Amino acid sequence: MKGIVFTEFLELVETKFGIKTVQDIIDACDLKTNGVYTSVGTYDHKEMFQMVGKLSEIQNIPVADLLQTYGTFFFSVLSTSYPKFMTKNNLFSFLESIDGYIHPEVLKLYPEAELPRFSSEKINDSEMQLVYESSRKMSDFAIGLIKGAATYYNTAADVEVVKSEADGTKVIIQISCIDA
Ligand code: HEM
């Protein structure tokens, strides 16, 4: 997984919980990198799960909640860092474009990126479903990103899991706009 995902995670942990917590989670995890990441490097995504798991223990916050919060924060990082990918003018067109446009563009920039697959189905003007598929099982991170995208597009929306395969590699996420 790209280093930006790690560096921004540690940045957020520092802002929310302080530098001591950053050091505590790095010390408590047996990380090959020793917690040293550069934004352009590529690292094992399991290190992220180790650190999130430790933060969850220390702060007594469920892992799913931490990943969602991080996803929402990461969306604002992405939309600021890559404004040229923010070409769509509403939430649903944007979400429909992740798999066919945004992530393929990311792969052009970083051929070693490991990205999930998404298929989308618009149910009606205010509801759509995204099917998340990835061996990395980061659907909670995806939910956080989607919530970040809703905020970016000034759209009030509920984002919920409709169905999850037992091991989390395939998850159906429903996005329901509240005031559409
Ligand atoms: C709501 C919109 C988006 C969703 C739901 C989404 C979803 C995800 C998820 C879940 C991952 C983690 C990898 C995995 O699960 O296999 C990921 C990785 C990533 N995404 Fe997206 N993404 C979105 C938008 C974007 C945008 C706008 C960009 C930026 C241009 C972007 C760039 C990346 C990058 C750089 C990674 C890391 C890949 C790696 O570490 O190898 N994504 N995305």
Side-chain angles (χ1 to χ4, degrees):
M1 190 147 70
K2 292 309 296 174
I4 188 176
V5 186
F6 294 86
T7 54
E8 292 298 333
F9 171 71
L10 293 176
E11 194 71 41
L12 181 63
V13 174
E14 182 175 343
T15 306
K16 288 215 180 255
F17 304 109
I19 187 75
K20 183 173 182 303
T21 303
V22 172
Q23 206 50 58
D24 287 347
I25 60 175
I26 290 172
D27 290 347
C29 295
D30 185 17
L31 304 168
K32 224 189 250 164
T33 59
N34 292 317
V36 179
Y37 306 100
T38 67
S39 64
V40 291
T42 303
Y43 309 94
D44 188 343
H45 75 279
K46 292 200 185 88
E47 292 208 350
M48 177 60 80
F49 277 97
Q50 276 177 272
M51 290 193 289
V52 174
K54 202 42 88 180
L55 181 62
S56 160
E57 265 174 56
I58 294 176
Q59 295 292 334
N60 203 16
I61 301 172
V63 167
D65 292 2
L66 291 171
L67 282 173
Q68 284 195 25
T69 302
Y70 178 45
T72 301
F73 171 79
F74 194 58
F75 187 85
S76 59
V77 172
L78 292 175
S79 56
T80 312
S81 312
Y82 301 92
K84 65 173 184 167
F85 293 158
M86 306 303 299
T87 54
K88 302 291 176 186
N89 58 12
N90 67 71
L91 177 64
F92 283 5
S93 336
F94 173 75
L95 295 177
E96 279 165 356
S97 77
I98 303 168
D99 205 66
Y101 172 63
I102 292 176
H103 279 167
E105 289 297 318
V106 171
L107 265 188
K108 284 186 205 164
L109 291 174
Y110 310 108
E112 68 287 7
E114 300 174 307
L115 296 159
R117 287 178 308 283
F118 283 103
S119 53
S120 57
E121 193 192 339
K122 210 169 153 189
I123 299 167
N124 54 47
D125 282 349
S126 60
E127 293 171 293
M128 81 178 273
Q129 290 188 347
L130 281 181
V131 182
Y132 165 90
E133 284 180 90
S134 166
S135 59
R136 285 165 295 285
K137 308 175 187 175
M138 294 181 71
S139 60
D140 285 307
F141 183 58
I143 289 171
L145 283 160
I146 296 166
K147 288 183 176 172
T151 303
Y152 178 92
Y153 284 103
N154 282 319
T155 305
D158 282 328
V159 184
E160 294 165 334
V161 171
V162 178
K163 190 166 176 256
S164 175
E165 305 253 313
D167 67 354
T169 57
K170 182 173 176 187
V171 177
I172 305 176
I173 300 166
Q174 171 136 348
I175 300 100
S176 310
C177 296
I178 297 161
D179 55 356

